[in-house]
Amino acid sequence: MEDIEKFVRGFSRFQQQYFTEQDGLYDSLRAGQSPTTLLIGCCDSRVDPMLLTGSDPGDMFVVRNIANLVPPCAPGAPPGVSSAIEFAVCNLEVARVIVLGHAHCGGIRALMDPLTMATPEVAPETDFVRQWMQIAEPVARRVQRELAYKTLEEQHKACELASILHSLDNLLTYPWLKRRVLAGKLMLHGWYFDIESGALMAYSPRQQQFLDIVCPLQRPLNG
């Protein structure tokens, strides 16, 4: 009950902030939405895109799933994520798509080391996490093959970063999205939230690596 009461109090604060006479945000939003950004993020409770970016209602069209994956455009592709991408790009005509990954992703860990996430209650035919994570399986196998000399933690982070790029590549398999990119009407971004340091990283195609765009805070030494 304490959690429920916390959520209700939180909604009351939201109501006071956005539905007072002094704030007219929802006066305009009642007529419809026009976000400029589609953000594809992870379901992880520690990685709330709106909280992390300080966004207001209406700023972002957000799609969240296990490990922030984008399935390729193909017959039989999971329609939930694909339909959300289609709506954001074709109907809302967003100007950018951000794929936001993060450190210590449970989905990536399950993909890299399935035994760590094994749950006897889940029957193989309904192991939806395993089925979903197959989207990033080529990335995981490549990381394990090319970085076999690295520690497991280093491999996990490498897979987290590489899966963001894999999702960006998969976005370009949607013909209507690729046309907008080629026309200069849509930008694609790969971001990574480092939970360890609090930093935000972005992929630089020019340098072909992730670089800090918001550096870690300097923490005072204990003593």
Side-chain angles (χ1 to χ4, degrees):
M1 286 301 295
E2 289 183 2
D3 282 347
I4 293 296
E5 291 172 359
K6 176 183 177 181
F7 301 152
V8 173
R9 290 194 301 270
F11 185 85
S12 295
R13 291 193 297 271
F14 162 82
Q15 182 188 62
Q16 289 296 317
Q17 180 175 356
Y18 291 108
F19 284 84
T20 59
E21 293 181 1
Q22 292 79 15
D23 193 301
L25 177 60
Y26 269 91
D27 289 339
S28 61
L29 290 178
R30 289 188 189 99
Q33 60 172 327
S34 56
T36 60
T37 301
L38 163 63
L39 188 143
I40 302 169
C42 184
C43 293
D44 194 302
S45 61
R46 301 165 295 177
V47 188
D48 186 321
M50 302 296 285
L51 181 64
L52 291 178
T53 59
S55 296
D56 286 321
D59 287 346
M60 281 187 174
F61 191 81
V62 178
V63 179
R64 300 179 71 176
N65 61 65
I66 299 294
N68 45 268
L69 299 180
V70 173
C73 183
V81 173
S82 300
S83 64
I85 294 170
E86 180 181 351
F87 184 78
V89 173
C90 298
N91 293 71
L92 299 177
E93 297 185 346
V94 294
R96 68 190 61 84
V97 180
I98 300 171
V99 177
L100 174 63
H102 67 95
H104 302 305
C105 179
I108 296 296
R109 187 171 295 272
L111 179 63
M112 297 288 286
D113 188 6
L115 292 179
T116 64
M117 300 293 288
T119 51
E121 296 83 4
V122 177
E125 64 270 21
T126 57
D127 187 356
F128 296 125
V129 173
R130 180 187 59 80
Q131 295 175 44
W132 174 253
M133 291 306 301
Q134 286 178 352
I135 295 171
E137 190 164 358
V139 175
R141 301 303 159 247
R142 186 175 73 247
V143 167
Q144 290 172 328
R145 182 175 64 253
E146 297 178 359
L147 301 180
Y149 60 95
K150 297 282 190 177
T151 66
L152 287 178
E153 288 303 316
E154 289 173 320
Q155 290 183 31
H156 289 167
K157 181 174 182 179
C159 189
E160 289 162 355
L161 295 171
S163 68
I164 296 172
L165 303 184
H166 187 61
S167 285
L168 291 175
D169 288 341
N170 282 348
L171 282 171
L172 292 173
T173 65
Y174 294 83
W176 29 264
L177 186 148
K178 186 174 182 177
R179 284 195 294 268
R180 292 188 66 82
V181 171
L182 293 176
K185 297 180 179 179
L186 183 66
M187 298 291 293
L188 305 183
H189 304 271
W191 285 9
Y192 181 81
F193 170 42
D194 189 340
I195 292 176
E196 290 283 349
S197 66
L200 179 65
M201 305 173 73
Y203 183 72
S204 168
R206 179 177 299 178
Q207 300 195 35
Q208 297 187 342
Q209 61 180 320
F210 281 85
L211 304 173
D212 286 344
I213 55 174
V214 180
C215 295
L217 292 174
Q218 296 296 322
R219 297 181 180 178
L221 297 175
N222 294 328

